[in-house]
Amino acid sequence: MLTLLAPWLWHRGRAARLRAAAEPETLANSDVAAPPKKPAKPVAPIYPTVPELAAPSAPEPELSGPMVFADDYDYVAVDEPLVETRASDAEVAAADPFSLRGKNQSILTRSGAPAATTIFSEQSLVKVRDAILTMVEQARQAQAQQAQAAAAPPAEANSLIISSPMRVMVDSENDRLAMIPPSEMRIAGESSLMAQANPTQPRVAVAPASKPALEHRPTALIAQLEQLSVGSPASPWAQHVLARLEQLTDVPSPAGHDWQPTIAELRQLAAHGYNEAIAVKNPADQSSWVRASRSLERRLPVWTLLVDRQFMGEQAFLRGQTVGDNSGLPQAVSDVAALTDSSDAGATWRTYLRLDDVAGLMSIGGADHAELRRAVARDVLVRIDDPWLTVAQRQFLAQPPVTNLATELRPWASGEVSVDTLAAFIERYEATGARKDADAVAELRMRMKWSADPRLQALAGDLNRNYRNANMRVAFSADLMNRMIPPQETKTEPVRSRIVGAEVSGRSQTDTQVQVRLIPDPAVWRIGLEATGNINSHTVSETWPARVRNRSQMEYEARKLIMINRFGLHSWPAEAQADGRTSLVGIDSGFSAVPILGTIVENVAREQHQQNRGQAVAQVKTRVKQEARERMDAETDPKLASFETRFRENVLEPMNRFAIVAEPVDMSTTEDRLQARLRLATEQHLGAHTPRPSAPSDSLASFQLHESAFNNALRGLELDGKRMTVLELHNSLAEKIHRRADDAPADLPRGAKVEFAKDDAIRIICHGDRIELILNIVELRNGRDSIRGVGVHAFFRPVVDGLELKLVRDGSLQFNGAHLRTGPRMVLHSVFGKLLPKDQELPVLAAKLNEDSRFAGLMVTQLVIDDGWVAVSIGPAHPHRTAWRTRTVDLK
C-alpha cells in the first residue's frame, strides 16, 4: 500500500528530468507489495481506497473574465447530494501507524474497546417526546372538532358512532407514541338508551367527510412556487406543480382515491425542474428554481407513504401493539457477557456496550422507563456502528453475539411512528426553522431507522439525505497555501566531511524553494510538500602529499506526504533525490617548486581524483539526500504537531464544550483545491436541507455555514428552561464561549432574573443579509417589574473593510409578545441592551490580514447570507471588482 502513497508518484521535478533513468527508485518499504498494474487505465494515487463520492450536481460557476461584477454575474444555489460512506478497513488500518500522535496509547483505545461519550439522555428524549405528544394532542382536538361538525347529530340521538380514521390518541401520559387513530370514535351521550315501546330503527353510521389527501399544507413550498409562477423561466413548471398540490391539499376527495399517480407525476416534475434549472443563465432565476425543485423533492418520500392506503391501514392496525419482539435480549446479553469474559479487555468492552445498564433495564417493566431504555439502546447501537473504530474493534463487534445484541436492542431504540405527525413537523420546520421541530423530525427519523418495517427504514434514509446534509463546507486553494510558506533564505555553511577516505573541508551555499503540491484524491486531503534546491560548494581534499581543490554543483528534491482524513493528520517520512557533478579546480602540493617531482606528484593526484570521482560523487549525493530528508522532517514535523495541537485546542475542544461533532461527509483533493463538506451534528440533530450558495471559481479560500450548525452548537449553552440572574447569564456565556470569566459591563442590571423557554431558548436565523439572534423568554424580573412571554430579536449585519470582516449589531433590539407597551419595552431595553450592546462587533476575518504581505492583492469576493447559509470567499482583487452579496442588498 505504501507504494501507492510514495511521493514518487508526484510529478517529476527538475532533477528527475535531468537524469537518464526512466523511473526513480522508490524509497518505500521494500516488503510491501506493489499494486497490480492496469495498462488500460493508469493507477491513481488514491489512499485509502473508499467508494467514490458523487460529484456535485451543479458545478461552481466559471468566471468569464479576469474581473467579476456583482451585477453581471452572481452566485447560484448548488445542490450537493449526501452520500454516506463508511471508512474502509484499509483507511482505518493505515490511519494510526503514520499519525503524529504518540505510539504509547492505551490498549483500550487500540485493540480493546474505545472510549465513547453518551449522546442520548433520558431527559432529552422525554423533552422531544413531550413536544411530539403536544402535536398529537393538537391534531386529536382538531380532528375531534371536525368530526363533531361533520356528524351534526340530531337532538334525539343518545349515542352516535362515526368513522374517524384521522383521529390521533394518546393512551397514557407515559406512552411513547400512540399516534395511529382508532377505527372509531364515540361521541358521549346518555349513559344508556331509554327503553322504548316501539324502538326506532338504529341510525346508520355517518360516512366520514371528504378530506384532502395531504392535510398539512406545504406553505413554504407553495410560497416558493407562487413567486416563481410570475415572470420567471420556471413559470410554466411552477404553475403545473401548484395545480397538482392544489389537488392534494385543497380539494376534498373520496377516501378510496388513488393518489400514487399524482405523487409519481410530482416526482418527475421535481427531476425535470432541477434539470431545467441548472441550464438557466440568470443566477437568481436558477437559484430560485433549484431551491423550489429540491424543496418539492425532499417532501415526496413522506407524501408517498401518506397516500399509500395499504401502508396507512397497516399502521392503524398495529397501533398500540408492541413495537418489536426482543424476547431474546436476556440471552443476547448473556452471550456478550460470556464473550467478554474471555477477552483481555473484557471489562472495558462490557462498559463500552453498557451491558450492566441493559441488564438492569430488562428487570424493570412498564412505560415509566421507556425513554431511558430508548436512550441506552440507541447509545449502544451507535457505539457498535461507530465510524471511528479500528479494524480490530470492528472485527470484535462483528462477532455473532454482538450483532445479535444489536438486533435485540432495536425494538427499544425504535418506537411508534405516525407519518402524518412527521409531515406536520416537517412543514412547520420548513416554515419556521424552529429547533423544537427539528428535534421532533430527528427523533422520528431515529425511530424509523431502527424500526422493523423496511418502508420506515427507507423513509429514515430519505430524511437523513434530505434533512441531515452537510451544514459546513470549506475550500482552500494551493495558491493560498503557497502564500503561507515563508521565503527561504540562502544559507552559507561550513563543510567538514570525509569522502573516499579523504578529509574534505570548505564552504557551501544552498538556495531552496519550497512549495505545496496538491495530489488529486477523491476521498481525503492529500498534500505534498516539495523542496527543490541547489548546493554550490568549494572544498579542499587533503590527500597527502597533495591538496585537491574541488567545485561541486548539486541539485536536490525533497518531498513529504501529508494526509488529512476523518481520523486526523498523518505524515510520512520525507524522501529525497539528488543529482549533480564535481569538477577539479586545482592541485596544490609542497613539491610544486621541485622540478620533475612536483609534476609527478600532481599527475598522481590528478589520476587518483579521476579514479575516485565516481565514488566520491555517489557519496556526496547520498549525504545530500540524507541531509535533505532530515532537514525537511526536522522543520516540518514540529510545525505539523503544533498545528494539530492548535486545531485541537481552538476547534475540537470548543466543539466538545458545545456537545457537537464534526462528521466529514465529503473530502477531496484536486490539483488546485482542497474541499471538505462536514456535518456539525450528532445522531439526534438535523443538518442542512437547502442548497448552498456557490463560491467564485477563482476563490483562494471559501466557507459556507448553515444555520443548523449554529443552532446545534447553541444547544451546548444549555439555556432551555434555565432561570438565572443576568450576571450569572453573562458569566455562564463567557465561560462557555471564551473559557474564562470576562468582566461584566458596569451598568449591567446584575440582579435582574431571566427564565428561558423550555424549547428554543436561543436560536439563529440566517436570511436577508442578516443574522438574527432570537431569545425566547418566559419571564424577566427586574425589581418590581415582571414581563412574561417575550421574544428578543437582535440583528447582526456584515461589514467589510478590505480583508477585515465583522458582524455588527444592526438597528435596535426588537421584541414580540402580548401587550408590550412602552414601559415593558424600556425594561427589556435596559436589560438586554446591556447584554447585547449596540456597538457590539463579532470578528470573522481579523483586521491584521490587511497588513499581512502574504494576503496582498486579495479581497473578500463573496459575502452572502441567504436561505439559511452564510457564505464568505477570498479571491484576487481587481480595480473594478465588487463582492458577490445577498441579492436583497442594494449595492448602489
mmCIF file of all heavy atoms in Angstrom, residues 563-602:
data_model
loop_
_atom_site.group_PDB
_atom_site.id
_atom_site.type_symbol
_atom_site.label_atom_id
_atom_site.label_comp_id
_atom_site.label_asym_id
_atom_site.label_seq_id
_atom_site.Cartn_x
_atom_site.Cartn_y
_atom_site.Cartn_z
ATOM 1 N N MET A 563 -1.344 13.748 4.868
ATOM 2 C CA MET A 563 -2.718 13.353 4.581
ATOM 3 C C MET A 563 -3.607 13.744 5.751
ATOM 4 O O MET A 563 -3.244 13.571 6.918
ATOM 5 C CB MET A 563 -2.831 11.854 4.325
ATOM 6 C CG MET A 563 -4.220 11.408 3.902
ATOM 7 S SD MET A 563 -4.361 9.619 3.623
ATOM 8 C CE MET A 563 -4.329 9.000 5.314
ATOM 9 N N ILE A 564 -4.767 14.287 5.435
ATOM 10 C CA ILE A 564 -5.771 14.620 6.449
ATOM 11 C C ILE A 564 -7.056 13.898 6.063
ATOM 12 O O ILE A 564 -7.571 14.069 4.953
ATOM 13 C CB ILE A 564 -6.015 16.135 6.528
ATOM 14 C CG1 ILE A 564 -4.714 16.854 6.897
ATOM 15 C CG2 ILE A 564 -7.102 16.451 7.544
ATOM 16 C CD1 ILE A 564 -4.843 18.362 6.923
ATOM 17 N N ASN A 565 -7.549 13.072 6.983
ATOM 18 C CA ASN A 565 -8.810 12.380 6.768
ATOM 19 C C ASN A 565 -9.634 12.448 8.047
ATOM 20 O O ASN A 565 -9.304 13.209 8.958
ATOM 21 C CB ASN A 565 -8.575 10.934 6.312
ATOM 22 C CG ASN A 565 -7.841 10.105 7.357
ATOM 23 O OD1 ASN A 565 -7.553 10.570 8.464
ATOM 24 N ND2 ASN A 565 -7.525 8.876 7.024
ATOM 25 N N ARG A 566 -10.697 11.684 8.132
ATOM 26 C CA ARG A 566 -11.583 11.748 9.288
ATOM 27 C C ARG A 566 -10.870 11.354 10.573
ATOM 28 O O ARG A 566 -11.336 11.684 11.670
ATOM 29 C CB ARG A 566 -12.807 10.866 9.078
ATOM 30 C CG ARG A 566 -12.495 9.389 9.006
ATOM 31 C CD ARG A 566 -13.745 8.532 9.164
ATOM 32 N NE ARG A 566 -14.747 8.810 8.153
ATOM 33 C CZ ARG A 566 -15.991 9.194 8.461
ATOM 34 N NH1 ARG A 566 -16.350 9.351 9.716
ATOM 35 N NH2 ARG A 566 -16.870 9.407 7.508
ATOM 36 N N PHE A 567 -9.743 10.665 10.473
ATOM 37 C CA PHE A 567 -9.026 10.224 11.665
ATOM 38 C C PHE A 567 -7.982 11.231 12.130
ATOM 39 O O PHE A 567 -7.353 11.030 13.150
ATOM 40 C CB PHE A 567 -8.355 8.870 11.413
ATOM 41 C CG PHE A 567 -9.341 7.771 11.145
ATOM 42 C CD1 PHE A 567 -9.627 7.381 9.850
ATOM 43 C CD2 PHE A 567 -9.992 7.134 12.186
ATOM 44 C CE1 PHE A 567 -10.539 6.382 9.590
ATOM 45 C CE2 PHE A 567 -10.905 6.133 11.943
ATOM 46 C CZ PHE A 567 -11.190 5.758 10.644
ATOM 47 N N GLY A 568 -7.750 12.280 11.366
ATOM 48 C CA GLY A 568 -6.793 13.283 11.800
ATOM 49 C C GLY A 568 -5.734 13.556 10.755
ATOM 50 O O GLY A 568 -5.906 13.310 9.558
ATOM 51 N N LEU A 569 -4.611 14.072 11.230
ATOM 52 C CA LEU A 569 -3.493 14.455 10.374
ATOM 53 C C LEU A 569 -2.401 13.399 10.456
ATOM 54 O O LEU A 569 -2.030 12.963 11.539
ATOM 55 C CB LEU A 569 -2.958 15.811 10.816
ATOM 56 C CG LEU A 569 -1.873 16.472 9.967
ATOM 57 C CD1 LEU A 569 -1.989 17.988 10.051
ATOM 58 C CD2 LEU A 569 -0.474 16.058 10.410
ATOM 59 N N HIS A 570 -1.879 13.002 9.301
ATOM 60 C CA HIS A 570 -0.866 11.957 9.229
ATOM 61 C C HIS A 570 0.239 12.398 8.272
ATOM 62 O O HIS A 570 -0.024 13.015 7.239
ATOM 63 C CB HIS A 570 -1.471 10.637 8.736
ATOM 64 C CG HIS A 570 -2.814 10.351 9.336
ATOM 65 N ND1 HIS A 570 -2.973 9.867 10.599
ATOM 66 C CD2 HIS A 570 -4.072 10.522 8.841
ATOM 67 C CE1 HIS A 570 -4.266 9.735 10.868
ATOM 68 N NE2 HIS A 570 -4.945 10.130 9.813
ATOM 69 N N SER A 571 1.467 12.107 8.636
ATOM 70 C CA SER A 571 2.587 12.477 7.771
ATOM 71 C C SER A 571 3.489 11.273 7.567
ATOM 72 O O SER A 571 3.581 10.389 8.416
ATOM 73 C CB SER A 571 3.384 13.632 8.382
ATOM 74 O OG SER A 571 4.095 13.203 9.523
ATOM 75 N N TRP A 572 4.157 11.263 6.432
ATOM 76 C CA TRP A 572 5.099 10.205 6.093
ATOM 77 C C TRP A 572 6.524 10.763 6.138
ATOM 78 O O TRP A 572 6.722 11.969 5.928
ATOM 79 C CB TRP A 572 4.795 9.663 4.697
ATOM 80 C CG TRP A 572 3.716 8.638 4.663
ATOM 81 C CD1 TRP A 572 3.869 7.298 4.501
ATOM 82 C CD2 TRP A 572 2.306 8.854 4.801
ATOM 83 N NE1 TRP A 572 2.646 6.665 4.534
ATOM 84 C CE2 TRP A 572 1.668 7.599 4.716
ATOM 85 C CE3 TRP A 572 1.512 9.990 4.994
ATOM 86 C CZ2 TRP A 572 0.300 7.454 4.818
ATOM 87 C CZ3 TRP A 572 0.150 9.839 5.100
ATOM 88 C CH2 TRP A 572 -0.445 8.577 5.014
ATOM 89 N N PRO A 573 7.526 9.937 6.394
ATOM 90 C CA PRO A 573 8.914 10.421 6.362
ATOM 91 C C PRO A 573 9.245 11.010 4.994
ATOM 92 O O PRO A 573 8.789 10.532 3.957
ATOM 93 C CB PRO A 573 9.734 9.160 6.655
ATOM 94 C CG PRO A 573 8.794 8.244 7.375
ATOM 95 C CD PRO A 573 7.439 8.512 6.792
ATOM 96 N N ALA A 574 10.058 12.045 5.014
ATOM 97 C CA ALA A 574 10.431 12.708 3.769
ATOM 98 C C ALA A 574 11.287 11.788 2.910
ATOM 99 O O ALA A 574 12.001 10.913 3.418
ATOM 100 C CB ALA A 574 11.186 13.994 4.071
ATOM 101 N N GLU A 575 11.216 11.990 1.624
ATOM 102 C CA GLU A 575 12.049 11.286 0.666
ATOM 103 C C GLU A 575 12.781 12.314 -0.173
ATOM 104 O O GLU A 575 12.305 13.447 -0.346
ATOM 105 C CB GLU A 575 11.212 10.372 -0.222
ATOM 106 C CG GLU A 575 10.486 9.288 0.547
ATOM 107 C CD GLU A 575 9.696 8.370 -0.365
ATOM 108 O OE1 GLU A 575 9.649 8.651 -1.583
ATOM 109 O OE2 GLU A 575 9.133 7.386 0.120
ATOM 110 N N ALA A 576 13.946 11.945 -0.684
ATOM 111 C CA ALA A 576 14.756 12.911 -1.428
ATOM 112 C C ALA A 576 15.526 12.217 -2.529
ATOM 113 O O ALA A 576 15.764 11.001 -2.499
ATOM 114 C CB ALA A 576 15.707 13.647 -0.485
ATOM 115 N N GLN A 577 15.927 12.990 -3.493
ATOM 116 C CA GLN A 577 16.812 12.536 -4.557
ATOM 117 C C GLN A 577 17.733 13.689 -4.913
ATOM 118 O O GLN A 577 17.398 14.857 -4.714
ATOM 119 C CB GLN A 577 16.012 12.082 -5.775
ATOM 120 C CG GLN A 577 15.096 13.156 -6.338
ATOM 121 C CD GLN A 577 14.189 12.616 -7.423
ATOM 122 O OE1 GLN A 577 14.107 11.423 -7.633
ATOM 123 N NE2 GLN A 577 13.494 13.512 -8.113
ATOM 124 N N ALA A 578 18.930 13.366 -5.418
ATOM 125 C CA ALA A 578 19.929 14.389 -5.723
ATOM 126 C C ALA A 578 20.668 14.021 -6.993
ATOM 127 O O ALA A 578 20.791 12.845 -7.362
ATOM 128 C CB ALA A 578 20.899 14.547 -4.554
ATOM 129 N N ASP A 579 21.172 15.012 -7.645
ATOM 130 C CA ASP A 579 21.962 14.825 -8.857
ATOM 131 C C ASP A 579 22.909 16.012 -8.975
ATOM 132 O O ASP A 579 22.647 17.085 -8.424
ATOM 133 C CB ASP A 579 21.057 14.740 -10.089
ATOM 134 C CG ASP A 579 21.751 14.061 -11.268
ATOM 135 O OD1 ASP A 579 22.939 13.711 -11.110
ATOM 136 O OD2 ASP A 579 21.107 13.904 -12.317
ATOM 137 N N GLY A 580 24.006 15.816 -9.671
ATOM 138 C CA GLY A 580 24.952 16.908 -9.833
ATOM 139 C C GLY A 580 26.302 16.419 -10.323
ATOM 140 O O GLY A 580 26.462 15.266 -10.760
ATOM 141 N N ARG A 581 27.264 17.289 -10.223
ATOM 142 C CA ARG A 581 28.610 16.967 -10.720
ATOM 143 C C ARG A 581 29.634 17.725 -9.895
ATOM 144 O O ARG A 581 29.331 18.725 -9.242
ATOM 145 C CB ARG A 581 28.740 17.343 -12.192
ATOM 146 C CG ARG A 581 28.580 18.828 -12.469
ATOM 147 C CD ARG A 581 28.625 19.129 -13.961
ATOM 148 N NE ARG A 581 28.537 20.558 -14.237
ATOM 149 C CZ ARG A 581 27.383 21.224 -14.310
ATOM 150 N NH1 ARG A 581 26.244 20.580 -14.115
ATOM 151 N NH2 ARG A 581 27.390 22.528 -14.570
ATOM 152 N N THR A 582 30.901 17.221 -9.962
ATOM 153 C CA THR A 582 32.041 17.892 -9.330
ATOM 154 C C THR A 582 33.111 18.125 -10.389
ATOM 155 O O THR A 582 33.213 17.388 -11.379
ATOM 156 C CB THR A 582 32.624 17.043 -8.192
ATOM 157 O OG1 THR A 582 33.113 15.810 -8.731
ATOM 158 C CG2 THR A 582 31.572 16.761 -7.128
ATOM 159 N N SER A 583 33.888 19.126 -10.165
ATOM 160 C CA SER A 583 34.980 19.438 -11.109
ATOM 161 C C SER A 583 36.238 19.792 -10.327
ATOM 162 O O SER A 583 36.163 20.359 -9.230
ATOM 163 C CB SER A 583 34.571 20.593 -12.033
ATOM 164 O OG SER A 583 34.265 21.753 -11.273
ATOM 165 N N LEU A 584 37.330 19.434 -10.910
ATOM 166 C CA LEU A 584 38.626 19.700 -10.294
ATOM 167 C C LEU A 584 39.054 21.127 -10.627
ATOM 168 O O LEU A 584 39.125 21.519 -11.791
ATOM 169 C CB LEU A 584 39.667 18.703 -10.814
ATOM 170 C CG LEU A 584 41.095 18.887 -10.310
ATOM 171 C CD1 LEU A 584 41.164 18.674 -8.797
ATOM 172 C CD2 LEU A 584 42.029 17.915 -11.022
ATOM 173 N N VAL A 585 39.308 21.897 -9.579
ATOM 174 C CA VAL A 585 39.718 23.281 -9.765
ATOM 175 C C VAL A 585 41.237 23.413 -9.809
ATOM 176 O O VAL A 585 41.792 24.138 -10.637
ATOM 177 C CB VAL A 585 39.130 24.167 -8.653
ATOM 178 C CG1 VAL A 585 39.631 25.603 -8.768
ATOM 179 C CG2 VAL A 585 37.609 24.121 -8.688
ATOM 180 N N GLY A 586 41.923 22.676 -8.946
ATOM 181 C CA GLY A 586 43.387 22.767 -8.926
ATOM 182 C C GLY A 586 43.974 21.823 -7.902
ATOM 183 O O GLY A 586 43.256 21.246 -7.077
ATOM 184 N N ILE A 587 45.315 21.667 -8.000
ATOM 185 C CA ILE A 587 46.032 20.776 -7.089
ATOM 186 C C ILE A 587 47.203 21.562 -6.511
ATOM 187 O O ILE A 587 47.991 22.184 -7.238
ATOM 188 C CB ILE A 587 46.539 19.518 -7.820
ATOM 189 C CG1 ILE A 587 45.341 18.711 -8.357
ATOM 190 C CG2 ILE A 587 47.384 18.656 -6.884
ATOM 191 C CD1 ILE A 587 45.754 17.514 -9.187
ATOM 192 N N ASP A 588 47.348 21.520 -5.200
ATOM 193 C CA ASP A 588 48.467 22.167 -4.507
ATOM 194 C C ASP A 588 49.260 21.105 -3.760
ATOM 195 O O ASP A 588 48.684 20.170 -3.184
ATOM 196 C CB ASP A 588 47.951 23.213 -3.516
ATOM 197 C CG ASP A 588 47.141 24.298 -4.210
ATOM 198 O OD1 ASP A 588 47.485 24.661 -5.338
ATOM 199 O OD2 ASP A 588 46.145 24.757 -3.597
ATOM 200 N N SER A 589 50.575 21.266 -3.792
ATOM 201 C CA SER A 589 51.418 20.329 -3.029
ATOM 202 C C SER A 589 52.710 21.045 -2.636
ATOM 203 O O SER A 589 53.106 22.052 -3.236
ATOM 204 C CB SER A 589 51.742 19.074 -3.838
ATOM 205 O OG SER A 589 52.670 19.355 -4.852
ATOM 206 N N GLY A 590 53.361 20.491 -1.628
ATOM 207 C CA GLY A 590 54.632 21.059 -1.192
ATOM 208 C C GLY A 590 55.773 20.804 -2.174
ATOM 209 O O GLY A 590 56.868 21.351 -1.999
ATOM 210 N N PHE A 591 55.491 19.964 -3.181
ATOM 211 C CA PHE A 591 56.554 19.638 -4.154
ATOM 212 C C PHE A 591 56.382 20.401 -5.476
ATOM 213 O O PHE A 591 57.046 20.096 -6.458
ATOM 214 C CB PHE A 591 56.545 18.136 -4.455
ATOM 215 C CG PHE A 591 56.774 17.292 -3.234
ATOM 216 C CD1 PHE A 591 55.696 16.717 -2.558
ATOM 217 C CD2 PHE A 591 58.065 17.085 -2.749
ATOM 218 C CE1 PHE A 591 55.899 15.944 -1.440
ATOM 219 C CE2 PHE A 591 58.254 16.296 -1.624
ATOM 220 C CZ PHE A 591 57.181 15.722 -0.954
ATOM 221 N N SER A 592 55.488 21.337 -5.483
ATOM 222 C CA SER A 592 55.232 22.046 -6.729
ATOM 223 C C SER A 592 56.466 22.772 -7.246
ATOM 224 O O SER A 592 56.678 22.890 -8.468
ATOM 225 C CB SER A 592 54.092 23.059 -6.518
ATOM 226 O OG SER A 592 52.909 22.393 -6.144
ATOM 227 N N ALA A 593 57.315 23.248 -6.336
ATOM 228 C CA ALA A 593 58.503 24.003 -6.766
ATOM 229 C C ALA A 593 59.655 23.087 -7.166
ATOM 230 O O ALA A 593 60.675 23.568 -7.694
ATOM 231 C CB ALA A 593 58.951 24.945 -5.645
ATOM 232 N N VAL A 594 59.514 21.794 -6.895
ATOM 233 C CA VAL A 594 60.601 20.847 -7.211
ATOM 234 C C VAL A 594 60.415 20.366 -8.653
ATOM 235 O O VAL A 594 59.358 19.804 -8.987
ATOM 236 C CB VAL A 594 60.587 19.649 -6.249
ATOM 237 C CG1 VAL A 594 61.720 18.688 -6.606
ATOM 238 C CG2 VAL A 594 60.708 20.135 -4.807
ATOM 239 N N PRO A 595 61.406 20.570 -9.486
ATOM 240 C CA PRO A 595 61.274 20.124 -10.889
ATOM 241 C C PRO A 595 61.049 18.613 -10.959
ATOM 242 O O PRO A 595 61.542 17.857 -10.145
ATOM 243 C CB PRO A 595 62.605 20.528 -11.529
ATOM 244 C CG PRO A 595 63.137 21.617 -10.632
ATOM 245 C CD PRO A 595 62.683 21.303 -9.257
ATOM 246 N N ILE A 596 60.362 18.203 -11.924
ATOM 247 C CA ILE A 596 60.041 16.805 -12.229
ATOM 248 C C ILE A 596 59.210 16.172 -11.120
ATOM 249 O O ILE A 596 58.115 15.648 -11.354
ATOM 250 C CB ILE A 596 61.296 15.960 -12.512
ATOM 251 C CG1 ILE A 596 62.074 16.579 -13.662
ATOM 252 C CG2 ILE A 596 60.928 14.514 -12.789
ATOM 253 C CD1 ILE A 596 63.401 15.881 -13.950
ATOM 254 N N LEU A 597 59.677 16.215 -9.853
ATOM 255 C CA LEU A 597 58.944 15.596 -8.749
ATOM 256 C C LEU A 597 57.593 16.265 -8.545
ATOM 257 O O LEU A 597 56.579 15.595 -8.306
ATOM 258 C CB LEU A 597 59.782 15.662 -7.466
ATOM 259 C CG LEU A 597 59.153 14.988 -6.226
ATOM 260 C CD1 LEU A 597 58.888 13.526 -6.515
ATOM 261 C CD2 LEU A 597 60.072 15.163 -5.014
ATOM 262 N N GLY A 598 57.569 17.586 -8.637
ATOM 263 C CA GLY A 598 56.309 18.299 -8.480
ATOM 264 C C GLY A 598 55.300 17.884 -9.542
ATOM 265 O O GLY A 598 54.115 17.702 -9.285
ATOM 266 N N THR A 599 55.779 17.707 -10.779
ATOM 267 C CA THR A 599 54.881 17.301 -11.862
ATOM 268 C C THR A 599 54.369 15.888 -11.639
ATOM 269 O O THR A 599 53.191 15.581 -11.893
ATOM 270 C CB THR A 599 55.610 17.387 -13.201
ATOM 271 O OG1 THR A 599 56.085 18.726 -13.384
ATOM 272 C CG2 THR A 599 54.703 17.014 -14.346
ATOM 273 N N ILE A 600 55.266 15.006 -11.154
ATOM 274 C CA ILE A 600 54.860 13.617 -10.892
ATOM 275 C C ILE A 600 53.788 13.571 -9.810
ATOM 276 O O ILE A 600 52.760 12.876 -9.928
ATOM 277 C CB ILE A 600 56.080 12.770 -10.497
ATOM 278 C CG1 ILE A 600 57.041 12.655 -11.677
ATOM 279 C CG2 ILE A 600 55.653 11.398 -10.010
ATOM 280 C CD1 ILE A 600 58.349 11.972 -11.341
ATOM 281 N N VAL A 601 53.992 14.329 -8.721
ATOM 282 C CA VAL A 601 53.015 14.341 -7.628
ATOM 283 C C VAL A 601 51.662 14.859 -8.114
ATOM 284 O O VAL A 601 50.602 14.311 -7.802
ATOM 285 C CB VAL A 601 53.537 15.196 -6.457
ATOM 286 C CG1 VAL A 601 52.446 15.416 -5.422
ATOM 287 C CG2 VAL A 601 54.747 14.525 -5.813
ATOM 288 N N GLU A 602 51.700 15.921 -8.912
ATOM 289 C CA GLU A 602 50.455 16.484 -9.411
ATOM 290 C C GLU A 602 49.728 15.507 -10.323
ATOM 291 O O GLU A 602 48.499 15.366 -10.251
ATOM 292 C CB GLU A 602 50.750 17.786 -10.151
ATOM 293 C CG GLU A 602 49.503 18.481 -10.667
ATOM 294 C CD GLU A 602 49.842 19.811 -11.318
ATOM 295 O OE1 GLU A 602 50.928 20.344 -11.071
ATOM 296 O OE2 GLU A 602 48.978 20.303 -12.082
#
